[in-house]
Structure formats: C-alpha cells, structure tokens
C-alpha cells in the first residue's frame, strides 16, 4: 500500500490547515498581458544566494506563462486585501481589470497596497506530486511595511495581533540560522 492510499485527501487538507500561512499573489508578464494567481505555498529558501520558492499546481493555467516569462514577482498581501486574494484565487476573467499595479524591475506586476514584494528570476523547477516546486533567485525587494499580513488558517482568513513581547529570546533555540536577526 502506498502512503498516498493511506492518507485521505480531505483529512490531509484539514490537518495541514492548522498550519497558518501567509497569502501572496504570484505575478508575471508575458509581453502581452499580466498574469497572476493567489498562493499560500511561498517561502524563503536561502540567504546565500537569496532564493525563494512557491508551489503552483500542475493544473495551473498561469504557471506555464510565468515559466515561459522566466521571471515573477511575489506580492505579499496585507490584511486589508482579502478581496484581492479572492480575485486572484478564482479562475476566469481578467484578474487585472480592476487592479492597480506597476511593473517590477522584471516587468512582473506589483500590486498596489501589497505589504511588500519580491522580484525573481526563475532558477529551477522540480516536480512534486500534483504540484511543482519553483525556485526563484531574488533580484529586487520591496519596502518593509508596518501593516498586518493576510493569513490563511483552517479554511479561512485571519490576521495577526500586534506582538508586545520581543521574540529574540523566545526564538533563540528555534532558529537554525546564525543569528535571530538573520531570520527571514
């Protein structure tokens, strides 16, 4: 019996839904039109060289356009951008019709109001089940923000509460990077 046969998809989704993720929109431009999709599977991968990853479904219609463009931007959404997440999470119509954006250095769309952004050149792609693991080399970064991020947890949106306790001491044993201030 394979592991996949032992793990029911709905149960897998419910259990992994307990892990809170940020919500981002991965965008690109193929020279004709901008494209993008909402993404929860985004993470920092490496500091040296600076790499990030995201995981599009193999069934994604946007991923082939991003792959062919060779560059993409990750727009980290703020707590006030639930509607934008819904627009980019749906299939269909022109997602950029009512969205204000400007081009990143790569030409990929940077969405107005995003917490921040990461512009990337496509580094490598790995097949992984029904998804791809896409690694991007970071070529430019947006500004930092004090706004709260949009998060996804147990099938719904949520936000963080402002922290009143410094985390450096709390995370010291958890971090595998040389210093807490190096943690992405």
């Amino acid at each position: 019996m394979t592991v996949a046969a032992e793990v029911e998809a709905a149960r897998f989704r419910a259990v992994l839904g307990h892990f809170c993720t940020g919500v981002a929109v991965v965008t690109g431009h193929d020279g004709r039109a901008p494209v993008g999709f909402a993404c929860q599977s985004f993470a920092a991968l490496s500091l040296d060289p600076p790499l990030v990853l995201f995981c599009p479904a193999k069934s994604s219609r946007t991923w082939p356009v991003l792959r062919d463009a060779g560059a993409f931007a990750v727009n980290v959404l703020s707590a006030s951008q639930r509607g934008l997440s819904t627009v980019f999470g749906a299939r269909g119509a022109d997602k950029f019709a009512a969205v204000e954006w400007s081009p990143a250095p790569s030409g990929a769309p940077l969405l107005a109001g995003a917490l921040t952004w990461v512009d990337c050149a496509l580094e490598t792609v790995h097949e992984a089940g029904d998804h791809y693991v896409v690694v991007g080399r970071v070529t430019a970064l947006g500004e930092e923000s004090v706004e709260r991020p949009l998060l996804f947890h147990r099938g719904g949106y949520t936000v963080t509460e402002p922290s009143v306790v410094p985390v450096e001491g709390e995370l010291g044993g958890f971090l595998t990077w040389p210093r807490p201030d190096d943690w992405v």
Side-chain angles (χ1 to χ4, degrees), residues 2-183:
T2 67
V3 173
E6 295 173 10
V7 178
E8 179 189 345
R11 176 97 170 108
F12 180 79
R13 177 176 260 177
V15 169
L16 274 282
H18 284 73
F19 183 72
C20 186
T21 63
V23 181
V25 173
V26 180
T27 60
H29 204 295
D30 67 358
R32 296 184 313 265
V35 296
F37 68 96
C39 180
Q40 292 171 250
S41 58
F42 167 70
L45 179 60
S46 169
L47 283 173
D48 186 17
L51 302 172
V52 296
L53 67 82
F54 73 94
C55 302
K58 287 184 176 179
S59 61
S60 170
R61 291 180 289 175
T62 303
W63 163 241
V65 177
L66 296 173
R67 179 195 62 222
D68 293 348
F72 60 90
V74 180
N75 296 266
V76 180
L77 298 188
S78 70
S80 65
Q81 293 180 303
R82 287 182 184 194
L84 199 56
S85 173
T86 302
V87 167
F88 282 92
R91 291 183 181 254
D94 179 7
K95 297 173 184 178
F96 289 87
V99 175
E100 187 179 332
W101 64 275
S102 60
S106 70
L110 300 177
L111 306 177
L115 273 182
T116 194
W117 52 267
V118 181
D119 200 25
C120 301
L122 182 61
E123 181 84 4
T124 189
V125 180
H126 305 278
E127 288 196 36
D130 58 1
H131 281 67
Y132 295 105
V133 177
V134 177
V135 177
R137 183 176 293 261
V138 177
T139 58
L141 295 166
E143 297 298 320
E144 297 177 35
S145 174
V146 297
E147 297 296 319
R148 294 189 302 171
L150 180 60
L151 303 174
F152 199 75
H153 180 248
R154 296 180 65 188
Y157 293 112
T158 189
V159 296
T160 59
E161 292 299 323
S163 176
V164 293
V165 178
V167 296
E168 281 188 27
E170 295 173 12
L171 294 176
F174 172 71
L175 300 176
T176 58
W177 294 13
R179 306 285 306 139
D181 60 339
D182 292 336
W183 191 33

